[in-house]
Amino acid sequence: MNHKCVSDPAPALSSRQALRKYFGYDTFRTHQSDIIDRVMDGKDAFVLMPTGSGKSICYQIPSILRPGVGVIVSPLIALMQDQVDALQENGVRAAYLNSSLSAEAASRVIRRVVEGCVDILYVAPERLLMPGFQQLLSRVAIALFAIDEAHCVSQWGHDFRPEYRRIAGVTNAFPGVPRLALTATADRLTRDDIVEKLELNRATAFVSSFDRPNITYRIQLKNSAKKQLLDFLRAEHPDDAGIVYVRTRKRADDIAAWLQEQGLKALPYHAGLARDLRIAHQQRFLREEGVVMVATIAFGMGIDKPDVRFVAHLDLPSSMEAYYQETGRAGRDGQPADAWMVYALADVVAMRKLQETSDGNDAFKQIQRRKLESLLGFCETAVCRRKALLNYFDESYPEVCGNCDNCNESVETWDATIPAQKALSCVYRTGQRFGAAHLTDVLLGNETERIRHLGHHRLKTFGVGQELSARQWRSVYRQLIAAGRLAVTTAAIPGFCLCPESWPVLKGESRLMLRRDPEPVQAKKRSRASVQPAVDFESQADLGLWERLRRLRLEIAQANDIPPFVVFHDKTLREMVLEKPTNRSEFLALNGVGEHKTDQYSERFLDAIRDHEHEKGS
């Protein structure tokens, strides 16, 4: 066996030197240095950082610096190759083991691990639990265990995976090896559950701010959802990469096909696609520009693409955690991005029914019910959305953000106590089994054939609601359900029924203020980062250099079969345009440029900059 990798001593580096050498940055972000120091000391850590805040650095640098291999447990199999590609581009010895590898390829990885030629190894939780893999771990030095997407261990989280419950049984077999649990999304209950289930009672917790200031949050009522989406994309993101989330596989296929008919580069992505096709779609999303991925909420998407300019929801996610996680895939590069959602009464009813008919005991259903109520409350709130979102995660936000629809557009509330009493009374008197359309007809006094057949034209509530329009009554019912003042039946065709929280309103013991629905408006074209680079270049010549460097990056990416952002992020290209480095040392000083990338690419990019400057001067 070749022991060359084990016997080659790595130069002793500090964590800050490793950050510059491999990743091209001079300073750590909030908490990163403290987390790395703790792990370097052999101690455990619980890390909660929002998407795009640099969680991966917290285990990658200790894995490089500590003796042995860092074992990274991740459920995102489709993402592992891209993570490993990015690390290898930075000169890091990284590999992955999952079901996508052939037996021969997996054997090669295992051989490299045994020979000490791998510093970072990504594995799926199922692989970690295999006896054969645990035998491999017993034969090698382990630098650390990192459990990524740690919320998957908790049944209170939004993406529970039973195999995560067995991870502690494996990691406990290696005392003295530090462990990190990392997640971007977890409320207080889920955090406590993660620590308990992964047996991290001695771990120091590092909780960063949940705020993503570059994301604009907007929620609208559905009014021809497909047209609203198309207007939004054409007005604000005509050439941008983004994700559209929907509830079902069929809807993902239909929306993607419809967007293609409208001239957009759209692809479906869900668990029902053939594996090769799903991987091909993800590769196009990562490697091409301007691709819109239409994905199911339930399947999710593990992506590491920094320049996603929007996340759009055409259907409600299941919880605030799911909403935060999914919208967090936008704007990882720190540039402006949109979190845009439309929803309607039918979505609220569908989600309520889905919860009530789901598997799980009463305690589980109660927690999920509370989570959905929090999400619906967020949709209906009249206060700053960022303030409401951060408050859910126990973080105060003292000001208004000025970067959400509620801050930028006036929101009215009104005293709906009496209309709510009429609406609830109508539910009760009609037998607690009808939906909004029938109840609205009763309140408006519409003597339809069905109403006459049921005798509902003789009820006291018939015609008592003519002060509101049909649209306004649908709003009242939607907000009553959102506020937990009205329940949804579990019948094949769900209707409404009263619940304990209905009675204080009905009896006049509780005043009810509701949000006044705005009139539907067409999306207005805005000047976005998609139309111009997110920095203002001083001249057309600089803009020309920007385009030249982007073409060179794409050429390199295609030749190496990697996404363009793995070569260099947009931020780094912009810095090249502004700084115009003339030699290797100036190139190495750019943010996001480490030694390995300097060795690989500096000559080509420096030549492109020199040629551009020469052409400009001639």
Side-chain angles (χ1 to χ4, degrees):
M1 185 181 291
N2 179 6
H3 292 280
K4 181 182 177 185
C5 294
V6 175
S7 61
D8 282 349
L13 298 174
S14 69
S15 59
R16 194 173 298 278
Q17 288 169 329
L19 181 70
R20 165 39 67 186
K21 175 182 173 66
Y22 294 104
F23 301 98
Y25 297 105
D26 294 312
T27 56
F28 286 108
R29 297 184 189 177
T30 305
H31 293 319
Q32 284 180 333
S33 181
D34 292 337
I35 295 165
I36 290 168
D37 287 347
R38 181 164 180 84
V39 176
M40 290 300 293
D41 287 343
K43 297 173 182 174
D44 299 339
F46 170 76
V47 178
L48 197 158
M49 285 184 178
T51 303
S53 294
K55 289 191 302 298
S56 56
I57 289 286
C58 299
Y59 61 76
Q60 288 169 348
I61 285 182
S63 295
I64 294 167
L65 298 181
R66 283 176 63 85
V69 59
V71 179
I72 319 305
V73 183
S74 170
L76 306 175
I77 290 177
L79 178 59
M80 286 184 190
Q81 182 177 345
D82 296 307
Q83 291 171 318
V84 168
D85 284 345
L87 284 166
Q88 290 177 346
E89 279 291 300
N90 287 333
V92 178
R93 305 184 307 173
Y96 64 89
L97 270 177
N98 61 40
S99 56
S100 71
L101 293 179
S102 66
E104 183 182 352
S107 294
R108 284 199 299 269
V109 171
I110 290 168
R111 187 163 59 249
R112 288 177 59 214
V113 171
V114 171
E115 292 173 355
C117 299
V118 175
D119 289 319
I120 300 178
L121 178 67
Y122 286 86
V123 298
E126 296 84 359
R127 174 76 59 164
L128 181 78
L129 300 175
M130 291 179 179
F133 184 76
Q134 292 172 37
Q135 288 175 7
L136 169 65
L137 293 182
S138 68
R139 296 167 56 197
V140 300
I142 303 173
L144 59 86
F145 286 106
I147 300 95
D148 205 4
E149 308 294 332
H151 56 269
C152 293
V153 79
S154 174
Q155 66 171 325
W156 312 129
H158 61 281
D159 195 16
F160 173 55
R161 304 197 181 205
E163 59 272 17
Y164 263 61
R165 293 288 178 91
R166 296 166 57 195
I167 289 175
V170 178
T171 59
N172 285 344
F174 298 89
V177 175
R179 298 169 297 167
L180 296 90
L182 307 102
T183 180
T185 321
D187 61 7
R188 178 70 61 186
L189 184 67
T190 306
R191 290 179 223 171
D192 293 343
D193 209 27
I194 291 170
V195 170
E196 179 190 343
K197 298 300 189 301
L198 293 178
E199 299 182 24
L200 292 171
N201 298 318
R202 295 184 180 178
T204 298
F206 298 89
V207 179
S208 298
S209 170
F210 282 88
D211 189 18
R212 297 288 305 282
N214 60 311
I215 295 180
T216 302
Y217 296 99
R218 284 185 286 169
I219 300 175
Q220 301 173 1
L221 293 174
K222 277 186 185 175
N223 178 35
S224 183
K226 289 201 298 188
K227 183 178 184 303
Q228 286 173 283
L229 175 65
L230 187 62
D231 288 346
F232 167 69
L233 297 181
R234 283 181 169 164
E236 303 185 35
H237 298 282
D239 302 307
D240 286 341
I243 306 170
V244 178
Y245 279 111
V246 295
R247 186 175 298 117
T248 66
R249 299 173 184 182
K250 182 179 184 305
R251 189 154 155 79
D253 290 332
D254 291 347
I255 295 294
W258 183 78
L259 288 174
Q260 288 170 10
E261 290 170 6
Q262 310 308 310
L264 278 79
K265 202 164 21 171
L267 300 170
Y269 186 86
H270 56 74
L273 293 177
R275 179 177 172 278
D276 289 348
L277 183 60
R278 194 170 67 241
I279 290 173
H281 284 187
Q282 176 152 316
Q283 294 305 310
R284 283 192 62 191
F285 181 65
L286 291 170
R287 285 159 170 72
E288 295 180 22
E289 295 187 352
V291 174
V292 176
M293 193 70 86
V294 186
T296 52
I297 293 167
F299 186 77
M301 275 187 66
I303 58 163
D304 199 20
K305 187 176 171 67
D307 58 345
V308 174
R309 296 271 65 87
F310 68 88
V311 168
H313 282 89
L314 286 191
D315 294 312
L316 279 174
S318 59
S319 65
M320 288 288 279
E321 288 93 339
Y323 173 79
Y324 182 83
Q325 179 95 345
E326 288 152 13
T327 57
R329 290 166 184 146
R332 291 169 62 109
D333 55 5
Q335 300 304 314
D338 278 312
W340 180 91
M341 180 163 70
V342 291
Y343 85 115
L345 176 59
D347 297 308
V348 180
V349 172
M351 289 300 293
R352 287 285 194 196
K353 186 186 176 187
L354 198 63
Q355 282 192 345
E356 294 307 319
T357 56
S358 67
D359 296 332
N361 57 30
D362 289 342
F364 176 77
K365 286 185 178 180
Q366 179 63 27
I367 292 289
Q368 297 309 307
R369 202 176 294 128
R370 265 206 321 260
K371 286 179 179 290
L372 179 60
E373 284 173 5
S374 295
L375 176 70
L376 295 174
F378 174 71
C379 292
E380 299 291 354
T381 187
V383 304
C384 166
R385 293 209 189 272
R386 184 165 270 98
K387 184 191 287 281
L389 181 63
L390 296 180
N391 183 64
Y392 178 81
F393 291 107
D394 299 316
E395 182 178 342
S396 62
Y397 191 85
E399 306 297 329
V400 293
C401 73
N403 196 25
C404 73
D405 52 357
N406 285 352
C407 285
N408 296 331
E409 302 160 17
S410 60
V411 180
E412 294 181 42
T413 58
W414 61 293
D415 189 339
T417 305
I418 292 174
Q421 289 171 335
K422 292 179 180 180
L424 294 170
S425 178
C426 192
V427 170
Y428 181 75
R429 292 179 185 278
T430 54
Q432 304 190 70
R433 62 191 181 93
F434 295 96
H438 182 80
L439 296 168
T440 297
D441 277 338
V442 174
L443 288 164
L444 291 176
N446 295 333
E447 198 168 325
T448 65
E449 185 178 334
R450 188 181 187 214
I451 283 177
R452 285 197 304 274
H453 174 72
L454 293 167
H456 289 171
H457 59 300
R458 294 190 290 271
L459 296 175
K460 285 185 177 180
T461 48
F462 183 76
V464 300
Q466 295 183 23
E467 75 276 16
L468 299 182
S469 68
R471 187 172 71 87
Q472 289 170 318
W473 279 117
R474 285 196 299 274
S475 174
V476 170
Y477 278 117
R478 187 192 75 245
Q479 294 188 65
L480 284 171
I481 294 171
R485 301 286 193 170
L486 189 59
V488 175
T489 67
T490 57
I493 301 176
F496 303 154
C497 58
L498 302 187
C499 59
E501 289 76 16
S502 305
W503 293 102
V505 177
L506 262 175
K507 293 176 180 178
E509 299 168 358
S510 176
R511 185 180 176 213
L512 194 66
M513 300 296 293
L514 296 183
R515 177 189 175 109
R516 195 180 298 279
D517 288 350
E519 293 296 322
V521 292
Q522 176 132 0
K524 296 178 183 176
K525 189 159 188 172
R526 295 196 292 173
S527 174
R528 304 292 294 177
S530 59
V531 182
Q532 292 291 336
V535 295
D536 293 325
F537 293 118
E538 292 182 1
S539 65
Q540 279 298 116
D542 280 356
L543 185 58
L545 177 57
W546 159 260
E547 295 298 343
R548 187 174 197 146
L549 296 181
R550 288 181 76 207
R551 286 194 298 272
L552 175 57
R553 179 181 64 175
L554 182 60
E555 181 185 315
I556 292 170
Q558 290 174 340
N560 293 308
D561 193 27
I562 54 177
F565 62 81
V566 169
V567 180
F568 290 120
H569 280 203
D570 280 357
K571 254 184 181 174
T572 303
L573 286 194
R574 291 187 186 104
E575 195 172 339
M576 284 186 207
V577 172
L578 297 173
E579 298 297 329
K580 298 179 181 63
T582 59
N583 55 49
R584 189 183 188 280
S585 62
E586 289 178 2
F587 193 85
L588 181 59
L590 297 170
N591 278 302
V593 180
E595 291 181 8
H596 190 69
K597 284 187 177 179
T598 299
D599 293 340
Q600 283 187 300
Y601 304 132
S602 62
E603 213 170 292
R604 295 182 66 179
F605 279 90
L606 288 171
D607 283 346
I609 294 168
R610 287 190 201 104
D611 289 347
H612 180 81
E613 291 298 290
H614 176 73
E615 291 166 11
K616 188 176 72 171
S618 59

